[in-house]
Amino acid sequence: RDGITLESVARAFREPYETNWIPLTWLSLHVDYALWGLDPAGYKWTNVALHVTAALLLLAFLVRATGRTAPAALVAAVFALHPTHVESVAWVSARKDALSAVFCIDKVPGPLEILSDPAVVVEEDAAGARRPLVDRGHVVGHRRPSRSGVPRT
């Protein structure tokens, strides 16, 4: 009941809740308890902050992917304000949804990094869209070591 402690961290990773293993959710709730005690408003403000973070990450990704700010802002606003996301913000018990959104959207720019990497072999279609060449699920030319240790050519 002290918020976040070594025991609470160990317990978050060791014990599942029902059938869910959700250590990051438990850790964030322990931090909330350390900050807010039993005041539910603090927990909800944390959910709001996580949701706003996810919407801003989405906006940043879309602007980078498209180069167009207005449409990206519209899509990010729809994501932020759409009624399907109400539970993730209003219910403290839905914290895992807000955390998942932040961590997933944070990783979305990865494919853009691959396409802009000069070491990746890409092909262009008739419309000029760039796609990595894929061989059995692996990006061809993307700095992955060969099994034999001999560099691929």
Side-chain angles (χ1 to χ4, degrees):
R1 297 218 189 310
D2 296 328
I4 193 154
T5 63
L6 285 175
E7 175 56 29
S8 66
V9 171
R11 191 171 174 206
F13 283 93
R14 186 177 57 235
E15 297 177 16
Y17 174 74
E18 300 291 325
T19 58
N20 296 316
W21 186 68
I22 49 173
L24 293 179
T25 303
W26 281 121
L27 292 175
S28 73
L29 293 171
H30 285 298
V31 169
D32 273 353
Y33 183 77
L35 293 172
W36 315 111
L38 294 176
D39 180 15
Y43 293 78
K44 290 186 180 190
W45 279 114
T46 301
N47 281 6
V48 168
L50 287 168
H51 188 65
V52 167
T53 301
L56 291 174
L57 285 169
L58 180 63
L59 173 64
F61 165 72
L62 292 173
V63 167
R64 183 169 174 211
T66 65
R68 300 179 64 201
T69 305
L74 177 66
V75 170
V78 168
F79 169 80
L81 302 174
H82 196 276
T84 24
H85 297 290
V86 169
E87 296 89 2
S88 299
V89 178
W91 300 350
V92 174
S93 62
R95 172 70 56 89
K96 61 184 168 286
D97 296 342
L99 285 168
S100 295
V102 168
F103 286 111
C104 287
I105 294 171
D106 183 46
K107 297 304 170 204
V108 169
L112 288 179
E113 306 283 328
I114 291 172
L115 288 176
S116 63
D117 187 344
V120 174
V121 178
V122 297
E123 64 180 358
E124 289 190 19
D125 63 13
R130 293 170 45 94
R131 290 190 302 268
L133 292 175
V134 176
D135 174 33
R136 288 180 270 140
H138 300 287
V139 176
V140 175
H142 187 64
R143 301 183 189 125
R144 61 182 167 95
S146 68
R147 291 183 186 180
S148 66
V150 177
R152 296 178 185 213
T153 56

